[in-house]
Amino acid sequence: MKRIVIGVSGASGTIYAVDLLKKLHQVPDVETHLIMSAWAKKNLELEADLSLADLTALADVVHNNHDLGATVASGSFLTSGMVIVPASMKTISGIANAYDDSLITRAADVTIKEKRRLIIVPRETPLSEIHLENLLKLARVGAQIIPPIPAFYNHPQTIQDLVDHQSMKIMDSFGIEHHFGHRWEGD
């Protein structure tokens, strides 16, 4: 069984977290541990047609972002890795500088120190030099940066098509088999 920590921070783009959780919820050999910041909860309210209770029901375990004593805050708690989707620049900065003031940043720090897969889905534009330096710092320690940049070779027709492609990339990175999204098949 794969155990994946999913951090949702306060950037716009909650749709990506919702979609990923819905898709992972359908995979029987994946256990999800959800952590949401206060602003992630507010963005869910503003951006999605899903209640907090409905979203948390998609996760196997839900952790309080203020609980630095949670299981996912320890390297002895085995996971397959962590994804932060969407990742705000504040959260990225905290992780890049090992400033563990929340469970999201602490769990990411643990993921890095234990050399487990860490996926960052940054949601900001334009990116400043500081943003880029923090992302580069994380990439240098092994984090995979998967920004929500749409692909058009698959001729998306809906917003859901674009979101599916992002979830496909994240699940591919974790080696989770799935049958959605359109892949490049050559010309």
Side-chain angles (χ1 to χ4, degrees):
M1 172 170 290
K2 288 185 186 280
R3 189 182 279 160
I4 298 174
V5 180
I6 300 171
V8 184
S9 70
S12 180
T14 308
I15 189 171
Y16 297 111
V18 169
D19 189 70
L20 182 63
L21 278 162
K22 283 180 178 178
K23 286 175 170 54
L24 291 174
H25 187 69
Q26 298 172 28
V27 182
D29 62 339
V30 172
E31 179 182 288
T32 55
H33 288 253
L34 176 64
I35 312 164
M36 294 182 74
S37 73
W39 278 106
K41 292 173 184 176
K42 182 64 176 175
N43 281 343
L44 178 68
E45 232 178 80
L46 297 170
E47 298 179 354
D49 294 328
L50 194 68
S51 72
L52 180 60
D54 289 337
L55 180 67
T56 58
L58 296 171
D60 294 297
V61 180
V62 179
H63 299 278
N64 183 314
N65 194 35
H66 300 291
D67 182 8
L68 294 177
T71 55
V72 296
S74 173
S76 67
F77 184 74
L78 297 177
T79 71
S80 299
M82 180 175 187
V83 57
I84 303 171
V85 54
S88 68
M89 291 302 125
K90 176 185 177 189
T91 299
I92 289 167
S93 177
I95 298 164
N97 294 289
Y99 185 70
D100 299 343
D101 67 337
S102 70
L103 186 56
I104 292 174
T105 55
R106 173 61 188 164
D109 193 12
V110 165
T111 302
I112 290 168
K113 80 179 184 69
E114 297 295 330
K115 301 200 181 306
R116 297 177 185 149
R117 178 165 305 284
L118 176 61
I119 298 171
I120 305 289
V121 182
R123 246 300 301 131
E124 184 66 76
T125 191
L127 294 168
S128 74
E129 284 185 48
I130 294 169
H131 301 153
L132 292 168
E133 285 174 2
N134 284 332
L135 288 167
L136 180 58
K137 196 183 226 185
L138 291 174
R140 285 184 172 146
V141 296
Q144 189 173 14
I145 312 301
I146 306 179
I149 298 173
F152 294 98
Y153 60 79
N154 54 8
H155 302 283
Q157 301 298 305
T158 65
I159 290 173
Q160 186 59 52
D161 291 340
L162 299 172
V163 174
D164 281 345
H165 186 79
Q166 184 68 23
S167 291
M168 178 183 81
K169 300 299 271 182
I170 294 167
M171 289 175 70
D172 285 353
S173 186
F174 278 113
I176 299 169
E177 188 175 329
H178 56 83
H179 303 287
F180 67 88
H182 300 285
R183 298 183 183 282
W184 176 250
E185 296 178 14
D187 52 1

